[in-house]
Amino acid sequence: NTQLAGQPYTDEGPRMNEQRVDVENQQPPNIIVMYSDDHTAQSIGAYREALDYGLKLNHSPTPHIDRLAEGGLRFDNAFVTNSICKPSRAVLLTGQHSHKNGVLTNGESIDVDLETFPQLLQQADYQTAMIGKWHLGTEPQGFDYYEVLHGQGPYYNPTMRTPSGDIDREGHTSEVVTNSALRWLRDQRSREKPFMLVYNHKAPHRNWLPGPKHLHDYSDRDLPEPTTLFYDYSGLTKAAHEQDMEIATTMSWGWDLKVPRNPETGEPAPGWERLVKRNRLTDEQRKQIKKAYAEENNYLYEHYEEMTEKERLQWRYQRYVKDYLRVIRGLDDGVGRVMTYLERENLLDNTVVIYAGDQGFFMGENGWFDKRWIYEESMRMPLIVHWPEGIAPGMVNKELVQNLDLAPTILDLAGLATPDQMQGRSLMPFLKGESLSDWRDAVYYHYYEGPPRVHKVARHYGIRTNRYTLAHFYENDEWELFDLEEDPEQLRSVYDDADYAEVQEELKQKLRELQEKYEVENPER
Ligand code: SGN
Ligand code: CA
């Protein structure tokens, strides 16, 4: 019998204890991959104690995701290879670094001829489906069924692309995606085969527009600020000074902050129209949203002039972080509904649920939002694996793992070998609680966007070891080195600091080794 940590997934009714399936004969396991968009570890309750940098929340907005960690395995040092959307999704599918799979930036589409884990599972008689954010610019390959957003998709009333054409759905996208996933699990899949479902939320991608159920969350309180909210980048190189991802300056009143009038001029804030159109709001929904923010917005209009720069940033930060968490709560509801379904159908024991974000995100650290950097907030991905039959509850793993390892892991779960071209390595031993003496001691990172580029983050590559991060911003030919033990917030690069001369040399050597190992032919492209 399944040992559930804590409470059952719902209290909506009795759990089904009768007709337990004989799990011994139910191999291989079902697999659900949840790869949420821009969901950072600082915003997950289960990671609150685990991180020594960034925003510290005073509550958990993710009770259902937390339960996955309580009942499963939390990876505390999971990193993406390239902190941006399409590239991260291409790495997930192919198990190859960006320079191998060709999706270096959000500007490229995935090559449909690449071998991906869903195709291999399908060939191995798994039933496969892909629901939610796809974003790779192609028809999804390797799925018996798909229902995906067009591009980034809107926050409300999305049109979903399916093998038999478009379907218009109504409601908040987090609920739509969950409903479609449940519909497939319940009504569309065959019971004869194991399944693999990719369930990808759009939330919490910019512009963080909450669903009706969560519009009023946090209206009675302010949330904590990260200690680095006002940091001036004085210990960092030119790249940090040139970025365009500041809460204070980059965010727009209408689109990002849901303030329909520019409080400085009283003029309509242009981004507001975009918010309404891009998110496909009905008149009713637009009114409801406008109303939810009205009281706070009116306060802003009245007091804007007398507010200091600092207070203005604080106000913007609160609006941003609350909206980010409101959409997180909506997606967490969806995770709970999927888990409830598994529990009620007696599928919990033998279903591996992998919860991850496609990259991290800044929640006001350095005064920033967005991702892209090798810095902790952005490079770390939340990664939690729940599998009662295979994983003891409450485990934590601190090895350096990557999104690169997920395809090999999923194949391994299905009893399939890792193909030669895949560059990651199966995490299966870690799921079983084993340790490996020959595991990697550094991860390779490379961000390639632009120019032209959204958010103006300079290209860079680097490595992260258990203690250090070394980055080369090669367009500026500037390096940064962080001692994460001494400086977990990465406020002061110690590159060329005499005390670190030896470490620096070793790290550069290791960086070259990794570039060789992964066959990086032109690191400065
Ligand atoms: C949009 C957002 C950016 C975001 C990118 C990439 N701008 O362009 O803020 O970095 O997506 O996000 S917005 O004005 O349209 O909101 S990603 O997750 O797809 O890589
Ligand atoms: Ca993303």
Side-chain angles (χ1 to χ4, degrees):
N1 272 9
T2 306
Q3 285 300 308
L4 280 168
Q7 296 301 307
Y9 280 98
T10 57
D11 49 12
E12 282 167 18
R15 287 170 53 198
M16 289 166 60
N17 289 318
E18 69 282 4
Q19 292 176 334
R20 286 256 166 214
V21 274
D22 179 358
V23 287
E24 292 294 308
N25 295 323
Q26 227 204 358
Q27 300 296 337
N30 305 307
I31 300 162
I32 302 184
V33 180
M34 306 182 175
Y35 214 60
S36 298
D37 201 5
D38 294 0
H39 195 185
T40 194
Q42 308 95 289
S43 69
I44 295 180
Y47 277 98
R48 274 200 294 159
E49 306 293 313
L51 308 175
D52 51 3
Y53 62 86
L55 175 62
K56 297 265 175 288
L57 287 176
N58 50 13
H59 73 290
S60 170
T62 53
H64 296 107
I65 297 169
D66 299 350
R67 292 206 49 229
L68 297 178
E70 282 161 30
L73 168 57
R74 187 187 78 212
F75 285 94
D76 281 357
N77 286 309
F79 298 98
V80 292
T81 64
N82 181 0
S83 178
I84 187 79
C85 210
K86 278 192 199 181
S88 170
R89 286 157 204 271
V91 171
L92 166 70
L93 291 172
T94 63
Q96 293 178 301
H97 274 282
S98 305
H99 63 273
K100 287 286 182 188
N101 69 39
V103 185
L104 302 176
T105 71
N106 272 350
E108 284 102 24
S109 293
I110 193 165
D111 176 351
V112 289
D113 293 332
L114 289 174
E115 189 164 66
T116 65
F117 81 80
Q119 289 165 329
L120 293 166
L121 288 191
Q122 202 179 33
Q123 286 159 22
D125 223 22
Y126 261 79
Q127 201 178 171
T128 59
M130 156 84 229
I131 313 278
K133 184 169 175 180
W134 169 249
H135 198 203
L136 283 160
T138 54
E139 212 66 23
Q141 307 285 312
F143 298 99
D144 300 318
Y145 182 72
Y146 60 81
E147 192 174 321
V148 295
L149 296 163
H150 286 260
Q152 301 279 14
Y155 263 109
Y156 279 77
N157 311 319
T159 297
M160 308 296 286
R161 206 165 116 197
T162 78
S164 49
D166 280 353
I167 303 179
D168 290 328
R169 302 265 185 222
E170 282 175 18
H172 191 263
T173 298
S174 296
E175 289 181 38
V176 166
V177 167
T178 303
N179 292 343
S180 296
L182 289 171
R183 199 177 298 115
W184 184 78
L185 285 168
R186 208 174 40 218
D187 307 329
Q188 285 165 275
R189 78 184 161 94
S190 122
R191 267 44 177 184
E192 309 299 312
K193 296 177 177 187
F195 67 81
M196 190 284 294
L197 166 68
V198 183
Y199 164 69
N200 283 359
H201 277 278
K202 170 200 172 58
H205 192 267
R206 192 178 178 190
N207 70 333
W208 321 288
L209 191 59
K213 286 186 194 144
H214 294 286
L215 271 171
H216 296 275
D217 295 354
Y218 305 116
S219 56
D220 57 341
R221 59 182 144 143
D222 275 351
L223 291 168
E225 292 169 357
T227 53
T228 57
L229 182 61
F230 304 100
Y231 182 51
D232 62 1
Y233 331 128
S234 52
L236 307 178
T237 62
K238 195 166 146 205
H241 295 263
E242 287 184 338
Q243 49 62 43
D244 180 18
M245 51 192 286
E246 294 176 346
I247 295 171
T249 55
T250 311
M251 281 188 178
S252 70
W253 286 117
W255 172 248
D256 294 301
L257 297 165
K258 290 89 180 179
V259 178
R261 279 194 286 129
N262 181 336
E264 261 160 284
T265 62
E267 298 290 313
W272 177 261
E273 275 314 304
R274 181 174 180 230
L275 174 152
V276 173
K277 285 214 183 76
R278 271 258 213 125
N279 290 305
R280 300 180 134 203
L281 302 180
T282 62
D283 280 353
E284 202 51 45
Q285 287 160 344
R286 179 180 52 79
K287 279 186 204 143
Q288 191 184 21
I289 287 165
K290 203 170 172 183
K291 195 164 156 228
Y293 295 103
E295 197 181 313
E296 283 179 12
N297 286 349
N298 288 336
Y299 176 92
L300 183 74
Y301 298 145
E302 274 168 42
H303 295 87
Y304 194 74
E305 227 175 325
E306 77 219 30
M307 285 163 80
T308 63
E309 286 298 311
K310 185 178 174 194
E311 286 166 345
R312 289 173 182 176
L313 172 55
Q314 287 175 311
W315 193 96
R316 293 165 74 98
Y317 166 75
Q318 288 297 332
R319 172 60 55 88
Y320 159 55
V321 78
K322 287 179 184 183
D323 278 343
Y324 185 91
L325 293 180
R326 286 169 182 141
V327 293
I328 298 280
R329 294 174 87 102
L331 92 78
D332 188 74
D333 293 344
V335 172
R337 288 175 61 205
V338 171
M339 297 309 290
T340 300
Y341 171 84
L342 296 180
E343 184 177 46
R344 295 196 159 195
E345 296 295 314
N346 286 331
L347 289 168
L348 207 54
D349 283 350
N350 198 35
T351 300
V352 184
V353 176
I354 299 174
Y355 188 87
D358 69 335
Q359 358 83 197
F361 213 73
F362 284 87
M363 294 182 75
E365 300 89 357
N366 291 1
W368 294 350
F369 67 103
D370 213 69
K371 54 264 181 174
R372 299 161 193 273
W373 300 88
I374 195 173
Y375 303 151
E376 296 289 284
E377 292 86 344
S378 136
M379 184 195 192
R380 174 172 281 101
M381 66 191 297
L383 179 62
I384 294 167
V385 187
H386 185 270
W387 182 26
E389 199 177 283
I391 299 176
M395 288 210 299
V396 173
N397 181 289
K398 302 221 180 263
E399 296 291 349
L400 298 166
V401 307
Q402 292 178 285
N403 55 343
L404 197 65
D405 302 321
L406 292 175
T409 305
I410 293 164
L411 292 172
D412 202 357
L413 286 164
L416 302 173
T418 304
D420 287 345
Q421 82 279 3
M422 289 196 180
Q423 298 178 302
R425 198 169 156 189
S426 171
L427 303 174
M428 190 72 124
F430 298 148
L431 306 193
K432 294 185 187 148
E434 295 164 11
S435 51
L436 291 173
S437 55
D438 63 344
W439 192 251
R440 65 174 75 95
D441 57 4
V443 294
Y444 181 64
Y445 184 85
H446 199 150
Y447 171 77
Y448 300 83
E449 289 244 323
R453 50 170 66 115
V454 190
H455 298 302
K456 298 190 178 144
V457 175
R459 295 179 182 203
H460 55 291
Y461 59 74
I463 59 167
R464 190 195 185 284
T465 67
N466 282 313
R467 178 160 177 183
Y468 301 101
T469 296
L470 175 73
H472 187 204
F473 296 88
Y474 49 91
E475 291 168 305
N476 308 335
D477 198 15
E478 285 189 302
W479 293 79
E480 289 179 0
L481 168 60
F482 299 98
D483 180 342
L484 299 170
E485 222 168 271
E486 297 295 324
D487 179 22
E489 310 271 11
Q490 300 166 98
L491 301 178
R492 192 175 67 89
S493 167
V494 291
Y495 189 81
D496 275 348
D497 183 325
D499 291 347
Y500 287 88
E502 215 171 299
V503 169
Q504 188 171 306
E505 229 6 84
E506 280 168 24
L507 289 168
K508 280 195 169 175
Q509 176 59 29
K510 199 169 281 295
L511 172 64
R512 283 189 290 270
E513 282 166 20
L514 281 188
Q515 287 179 329
E516 208 163 298
K517 173 182 156 112
Y518 292 126
E519 299 172 340
V520 181
E521 274 159 25
N522 176 11
E524 313 224 338
R525 68 200 270 177

